[in-house]
Amino acid sequence: MFAKNFSVYRSIITKQLVNLPAKKLAIKGHRSIPCSLFAQERHYAQPASQDKLIIFDTTLRDGEQSPGVNFISDEKLEIARHLSNLGVDVIEAGFPIASQGDFDAVARIAKEIGPLMHGREKIGKPMIIAGLARATEKDIKRCYDAVSLAPLHRIHTFLATSDIHLKYKLKIDRNECIKRAASAVAYAKSLCDDVEFSSEDSGRTDKDFLCQLLGKVIEAGATTLNIPDTVGYTSPKDYGALIKYLIENTPGGHKVVWSTHCHNDLGLATANTLSGITNGARQVEMTINGIGERAGNTSLEEVVMNIHTHPSSYPVYHTINTELIYRTSTLVSSLSGMVIQPNKAIVGANAFLHESGIHQDGVLKNKQTYEIIRPEDVGIFSTNLVLGKLSGRNAFRSRLEQLGYSNMNEDDFNKAFDRFKNLADAKKNVTDHDLLALIFDQVTTGSASRFDLQSIQVVSGTRDMVTATVKLMDSSQDQELIGAAVGRNGPIMAVFGAIQQLVKRKIRLLNYEVHAVSEGMDALGKVVVKVTEDVDHSVSEADSNPQEHVIDRAIKPMIDSKGKTKLAKSTYHGHGTDVDIVMASAKAYVNAINRMFTSEISEASQRNSLEDRRVNI
């Protein structure tokens, strides 16, 4: 019985990607063919028995829920552009009701990235822009207003379904849960043809209740049903069995696309997602590098390369351009401030390194002895064209195009070229890693930053007190600021103290990391910092040692506008690159402070309308 139903389900999904009025994919069915050493075509393994796997990326929504991650609008746009080029089918651009800033970012992505076809010619359609909404009319309408600017758009609404969530979080019974879910989907359907529903905490929800609820949701018009393992609780065997059971027993289950969304709390997110695919799921929700709250989400690159490496082991094929994985991974890591662990599968620094003598001997004789994936399959090439200070604009532009930046506007290109020339004066050879770091740094700096670091001067020694003088430009007042400070623990502490004086804030440093972008004594250094504001909102003129607060890690209470005590929870990351790590540290610190001020402006702009957006779910 299941085989028959599943055949009908699979044939329907093959004919229509997500039940949308869009052009059919212009892809001829064929198995993957070995490519030349330095040229990798998209992997379209599409035998007649395989279905298209819909790749749904939620880096900009669930990924941004990682502690300390807060993308600015320009960064979200750049990540969305990379995901479109990568071949992602659906992108969850954000949670529009969360703030005015989030709404604006989703709307901007829908308008500017939604129509793009660059790199998607073989796919035959632009990326679907989705937004997340709770199961309330205000959330759903706000979501629609943001995503509707895209040619293809989706409303993704959700409601918790497990008994523990219904009892303690929502305080409703199962009947009310079904009523709210169906009502939310029906309203979303009245606005948008493409509606996705997620039953939050599906892994701990009674299966028969899920079938009943999801059946009503299908009747209301849902086109995609997402089954989240919200807390990473299930095992691959149990999660796969759940997907199979729901497809078999949900009324109308053959009419919709079934989707996975797995968290990595027990380290099983990738395994659970692959199990879901094997048992009938045809959409997978993931993030680049697996970032997300707590232990993170399913890693996009891991699932894609599993299917790429075992094309006949799964009943699906993908249309991801795997050669762009490494560059996209590096971008997300740089902009999020979340450094990739060296032993991370697919994109970690050690993923293609061999230290054992036996392994090295085997790889030298034949790479396939110990490499099941070629580095160039994911965009890591052994060829590294080196540029220098004598390299011209054409050579620089050509290299950027080879790295995937063929659509830069003239202003951005000129800024990047000026940065490249400054770097080439400081170091002999500029590598691909250096160029990517410069581009990412340019995206991070943005045009709307309040403070611009002009210069620093540091006097340091082994025993004497270190002094630092810093010059900033405050764009909000069009004023040049100059300040100095003493650091008892080195030049970086002195620089940070001087910056605090100029911005008139006490700031706690929560984390500081530095690493080399490339090799050599003149390597470009990259610094990542994480900060939070201290208890006081200003630095007193009489405070002669504000830098003492820089690395104060104690959690101190703050008083909100209503006189209530609260803890400062907002954290901000910043990053900077320079051949001088003291200068890189100053750039990173100023970058984090700019994020702090931008966040405060965004919160102030929406304060008057918060009451209108409060909802009960």
Side-chain angles (χ1 to χ4, degrees), residues 95-100 102-103 142 606 610 613:
F95 197 176
I97 196 71
S99 69
Q100 184 62 41
D102 218 36
F103 176 89
R142 187 72 170 167
Q606 63 174 307
L610 281 178
R613 295 186 192 166

Side-chain angles (χ1 to χ4, degrees), residues 53 57 66 72 91 100 111 151 165 201 209-210 245 414 523 530 538 550 612:
L53 181 66
D57 184 275
S66 305
I72 61 177
I91 178 178
Q100 184 62 41
K111 182 178 180 180
H165 277 249
D201 202 22
F209 171 61
L210 261 185
Y245 185 88
N414 289 333
K530 184 180 291 185
S538 61
V550 171
D612 294 335

